[in-house]
Amino acid sequence: QVEQLGAKVLPKGAIVFAKIGAGIYLERKRLLGQPSCLDNNMMGFILEARDIDNDFLYQLLLRSRLSTFASATALPAISTSALANLELLLPPVSDQRTIAGVLDDADCLLGQIEEIIEKKRSLFVATRDLLVAGETRLRGHSSEWSGIKLADCGVAYSGLSGKSGEDFKSGSASFIPFLNVVTN
């Protein structure tokens, strides 16, 4: 299938990220855990230099905002030639390995903490859903609930189509663009 598609198999450890579209602005980079092919929306980097540790390079790229290399067009894209100009500061390889190891250990700890937080968040969401649906009642609260339509509570407001921050230069209100909500 690889030959039939004309695809390249990237090795385990290659660094991959989005190269086309809004996904670029999410700034997600990953190390491949197994040999893989990428679709046309992705780019992969295979380390060839012997004096650079792959895990250190990955940490460097996590720190880099690759979206700054995206073309400013209707469909943003990152080219390999644009990335070629990314400048890197490299300590000796032994230091690179030590730094990457420390960061990997910290990342593992953060992953464990995030797992705990996610479990707590799931418990919170389940409890919230039961409480606001009236399926579970708090001790001492047993009165009947009444139905109401959302429209009787207030007004829904839809965002302004085709507007940008430039349209709101004066005034004190904040303008929240869609990509800001998606990315952070």
Side-chain angles (χ1 to χ4, degrees):
Q1 286 179 324
V2 170
E3 279 182 31
Q4 188 178 27
L5 293 171
K8 173 155 179 64
V9 178
L10 277 71
K12 176 181 178 178
I15 302 165
V16 297
F17 45 90
K19 74 168 186 175
I20 294 176
I24 292 171
Y25 299 101
L26 297 176
E27 294 290 348
R28 293 182 180 145
K29 293 106 179 167
R30 299 291 185 267
L31 283 172
L32 288 181
Q34 64 186 30
S36 304
C37 295
L38 302 179
D39 74 12
N40 289 338
N41 297 313
M42 300 288 296
M43 184 181 287
F45 186 84
I46 302 167
L47 182 65
E48 292 178 348
R50 296 195 193 303
D51 57 344
I52 302 174
D53 180 76
N54 196 64
D55 293 330
F56 183 79
L57 179 63
Y58 174 64
Q59 294 295 333
L60 275 175
L61 290 179
L62 285 176
R63 182 181 179 273
S64 302
R65 295 190 50 81
L66 299 183
S67 60
T68 60
F69 295 96
S71 59
T73 60
L75 184 62
I78 299 174
S79 68
T80 53
S81 58
L83 277 183
N85 293 319
L86 178 62
E87 294 204 19
L88 308 171
L89 290 174
L90 296 174
V93 178
S94 61
D95 291 358
Q96 292 176 35
R97 289 190 181 114
T98 302
I99 292 167
V102 166
L103 294 174
D104 187 51
D105 291 347
D107 193 40
C108 286
L109 287 172
L110 286 173
Q112 293 169 352
I113 292 168
E114 287 170 359
E115 243 179 68
I116 293 168
I117 289 170
E118 189 53 40
K119 286 178 185 176
K120 301 293 183 189
R121 182 173 285 120
S122 293
L123 285 171
F124 166 78
V125 168
T127 302
R128 179 203 60 206
D129 290 351
L130 291 170
L131 286 170
V132 300
E135 295 174 29
T136 298
R137 305 297 293 275
L138 294 175
R139 208 172 304 144
H141 297 271
S142 58
S143 58
E144 288 297 313
W145 289 28
S146 59
I148 188 171
K149 292 187 184 275
L150 186 60
D152 295 333
C153 300
V155 178
Y157 179 77
S158 180
L160 300 171
S161 296
K163 299 292 182 182
S164 71
E166 291 295 311
D167 296 305
F168 301 92
K169 283 188 173 179
S170 61
S172 60
S174 297
F175 173 73
I176 304 170
F178 172 74
L179 272 178
N180 187 270
V181 175
V182 170
T183 59
N184 63 15

